[in-house]
Structure formats: structure tokens, C-alpha cells
Amino acid sequence: MARPLRTFALVALPSGWLFLSIPLLTGLPIEPFVLATLFLGMVPMAMLITRRSPDVTVRQLLRDCVRPPRSLLWLFPALLLIPVATRLGAVVTGGTTELTAAVAVGMLGKLASSVLIVNLWEEMVWAGVVQRRATGRYGFVRGALLTAVLFSGIHLPLAFYGVDTAGDVAYNVAIMVASAVALRLMIGAVDRWSGRSILTVAILHASFNASSELVNADDAWVRYAVTLVLGLLVLAVPSLRRNRTVAVVR
């Protein structure tokens, strides 16, 4: 692993384990600790790595966060692909929830707040710094897989929430890793196709989170399965497997 990625992992992962374990042990609300993981553990390290890079500046990174996609049409799949596919999958399996106007408005509100408060900054770190750097050094697929491993690793304490057996933990870890792999493949592709728009990939990430409203709790596996299929379909694009994305490699 390149030195900046190793440095990021050595600092960000333990901070995530620390912050995300506190609610598990104390019963406190998890949301403040998710934000602490992001803004105290990940964002500062991403900024430091970028500041030390000879190839990209912090200003360029922040500009990517507000950059619209090369074609505005990319906003539609970023926003709708996972929710629509999830809903269709839930219809087929009989796991749908009632889709009322109130549910739709609530979902849009959740998506907007998620983008602004969490996902934009999260993807500044993961897509803008970690995955671009990993892709530049190792290629598209291995870069996405490495990012998925780190992404899953920092969220590992979440696998222990609401579990009764070791099997529950194993299931949660498997779901976490599969979703991370699928999302990193999709995000790596959309980052490239959208012209390096972190805003677009943040919307994609938020749409995955918001799609949980479209299936029954007992059928949550549908959302994960649909996302995994969509992620694996990215591998059918020959240019992504063959070429390396322009990215920081030092």
C-alpha cells in the first residue's frame, strides 16, 4: 500500500473503531459519533494527505466537491438507479413498504440532509482521496477493492450492533463488505464518467442509504443484493478494467 494510504489507514481506522464503539458500550445515540469519526478521524487525514501531495491541492479537491457532473444527465442515475432497482426488487420478492407521498418526501429530505451533512464529506475522503489514489496506483478494480476493505474496516464496530450470536456478526460483516465492494465499483466508475464530480458520487451514496425506506426491515437483503448486482455490472465495462483513472499515485 502506498505510504499516504497506509498513513490514512493507521490513523483513520483506529479513530473509527474508538468513536463507533462508544455508543455500542454506553447506549448513547450513534449519530454524534458517526460525525466524530468523519470530521475528527477521516477529514483531517484526507486534508493532510492532499496538502502534502504534489499532484493535487486542497482547493482542487474542494472544487470537485461542488463540481456538477460533466453532463447533468448523470444526476439522474446517481439519484434514481439504486432506489428504483431496490423498489423493483422488493416488488418481485414481496418485500415492499407502502409508498405514500409522506414516505417519498421523507426519503428526499433524508437524502438531501445525508448529502450535505455526511456523504459529501465522506466521499471527499473516500472517492476524492483514497479511491483515486488507490486507483492510480493499483488500477480500477484493485483500487476499488482496497477502498472497500478500508471503508468496511472503519465501520467494523457497526457489525456488533443489535446482534445475539456470532452468526449475526458474520452476516453483518458479509453484508458490509459486499455493499462496500459494490458501492466502490459504482462510485469509481461514476467519478470517472461524471468528470470527477464528488457531488455526483455523494448523491449516489446517499441514494443507497435512503433506499432502505423502500423495503420492509425483514427484506433489507433486497437492497444489498440489488446494489451488489449493479456494482458487478460495472465490471462488464472493458475500459474500466483495462485503463487506470487519472489519479494521485504518490
Side-chain angles (χ1 to χ4, degrees), residues 3 16 18 21 24 50 82 106 117-118 134 136 140 150 170-172 179 191 196 199 203 226 240 243 247:
R3 181 178 296 177
L18 172 63
S21 295
L24 179 64
T50 304
I82 295 177
I117 298 173
V118 177
F140 176 80
L150 295 176
Y171 174 80
N172 288 343
S179 299
D191 185 42
R196 298 169 67 86
L199 174 62
I203 292 172
V226 163
L240 292 176
N243 299 323

Side-chain angles (χ1 to χ4, degrees), residues 126-214:
W126 291 111
V129 176
V130 176
Q131 189 161 353
R132 286 178 182 176
R133 191 176 290 267
T135 298
R137 185 171 184 86
Y138 302 112
F140 176 80
V141 175
R142 286 189 294 172
L145 293 177
L146 174 58
T147 307
V149 168
L150 295 176
F151 184 87
S152 301
I154 205 169
H155 293 93
L156 187 60
L158 300 181
F160 293 87
Y161 281 74
V163 299
D164 297 315
T165 67
D168 293 336
V169 176
Y171 174 80
N172 288 343
V173 171
I175 289 295
M176 188 181 300
V177 172
S179 299
V181 169
L183 278 175
R184 294 335 305 181
L185 288 169
M186 295 173 68
I187 284 171
V190 171
D191 185 42
R192 177 173 180 176
W193 296 333
S194 67
R196 298 169 67 86
S197 169
I198 293 174
L199 174 62
T200 306
V201 299
I203 292 172
L204 176 64
H205 192 154
S207 75
F208 167 77
N209 295 338
S211 295
S212 62
E213 305 291 332
L214 298 173

Side-chain angles (χ1 to χ4, degrees), residues 32 39 54 57 72 98 112 119 128 140 149 151 156 182 209 211 216 220 233:
F39 291 109
T57 66
L72 293 179
E98 184 179 1
N119 295 116
F140 176 80
V149 168
F151 184 87
L156 187 60
N209 295 338
S211 295
N216 294 322
L233 285 175

